Amino acid sequence: MAIIKQAARQTLGQLIGANNPVVTVPDDSQRQYSWTKKEVDVYWADIEKFKDGRESGRESSSEYFIGPVVTITAETASGRALLDGQQRLTTSTILLAVIRDILWQTNAPEAKLSANNIQRDYIARKSGRKDPMEYFLVLSLFDRDFFRDYIQTWSEISGECARTEAATRPSHHLIKDAYNNLYAKVRSRLQSMADDEDRLDYLDLLRECLIYGLV
């Protein structure tokens, strides 16, 4: 028997991540990733506006409500089935992966450590060398393998995902497009900054907005 939990305020970091039950899109829902450039652009504009307001110190900008997320937890299960909120959580995970990848590419030891922490804390990790990878957001069977290959299964040695899976569905192409779109937007913002310290500060503040500010 499933239990529908009461409504509760949670940040993105409290919903997905290493210290939380895994969030899974049920296979029988037949839902796939569907956000186009239009939705991703609106999402990014909202994140940027929220980030700017949060940095200004305005109390009204301390949190950004991204909408309701509905999960069901079975009495005997350690994970949660995601009924509503797939597009927002998937796109937020993609943006975290973008921050991770750009941090790694700066080649600064501090940045590489931050990239590893984002991966382990909010995307996927292995408890031990021979243990299977634990993914904190599990998409339905339509997108699961591609999303893992393109976004989640990341090497702390090379700083890259394998990306060997062919994009065989429209949703796979949308996942790639969302990553490339967000990557280009973050890179564009970084190009206007004078030095590496400013760039690292920007990436760290963007990470904080996602993890602690999105509610």
Side-chain angles (χ1 to χ4, degrees), residues 100-188:
R100 173 200 67 197
D101 293 347
I102 293 177
L103 278 168
W104 182 272
Q105 292 160 11
T106 64
N107 289 320
E110 174 191 356
K112 288 182 182 292
L113 178 61
S114 296
N116 287 337
N117 287 339
I118 289 173
Q119 172 68 17
R120 295 173 184 175
D121 291 343
Y122 302 108
I123 300 177
R125 72 171 180 180
K126 296 176 71 172
S127 298
R129 187 169 62 90
K130 296 184 179 180
D131 292 328
M133 186 72 76
E134 180 183 17
Y135 300 93
F136 304 138
L137 175 63
V138 179
L139 299 188
S140 69
L141 59 87
F142 302 101
D143 295 335
R144 181 180 303 152
D145 290 343
F146 184 81
F147 190 66
R148 288 177 176 179
D149 179 73
Y150 203 83
I151 300 295
Q152 294 176 302
T153 307
W154 185 78
S155 169
E156 295 184 9
I157 297 173
S158 67
E160 297 177 343
C161 290
R163 296 182 178 169
T164 56
E165 289 274 338
T168 58
R169 296 177 178 274
S171 55
H172 299 172
H173 291 286
L174 290 176
I175 289 169
K176 290 178 65 175
D177 290 347
Y179 176 90
N180 292 333
N181 186 0
L182 291 170
Y183 184 94
K185 291 180 186 303
V186 175
R187 274 294 185 195
S188 177

Side-chain angles (χ1 to χ4, degrees), residues 11-24:
T11 63
L12 179 67
Q14 292 171 324
L15 185 62
I16 59 172
N19 298 317
N20 307 304
V22 172
V23 176
T24 301

Side-chain angles (χ1 to χ4, degrees), residues 32-79:
Q32 303 171 50
Y33 187 71
S34 62
W35 272 15
T36 65
K37 183 178 184 299
K38 178 181 178 180
E39 288 85 13
V40 173
D41 284 349
V42 170
Y43 169 87
W44 173 252
D46 287 345
I47 294 296
E48 276 208 305
K49 182 178 179 181
F50 167 61
K51 179 178 176 296
D52 291 343
R54 197 167 189 258
E55 290 173 30
S56 72
R58 295 197 300 269
E59 185 176 351
S60 60
S61 299
S62 62
E63 295 179 343
Y64 173 58
F65 179 62
I66 62 170
V69 174
V70 181
T71 63
I72 290 182
T73 304
E75 290 178 341
T76 58
S78 58

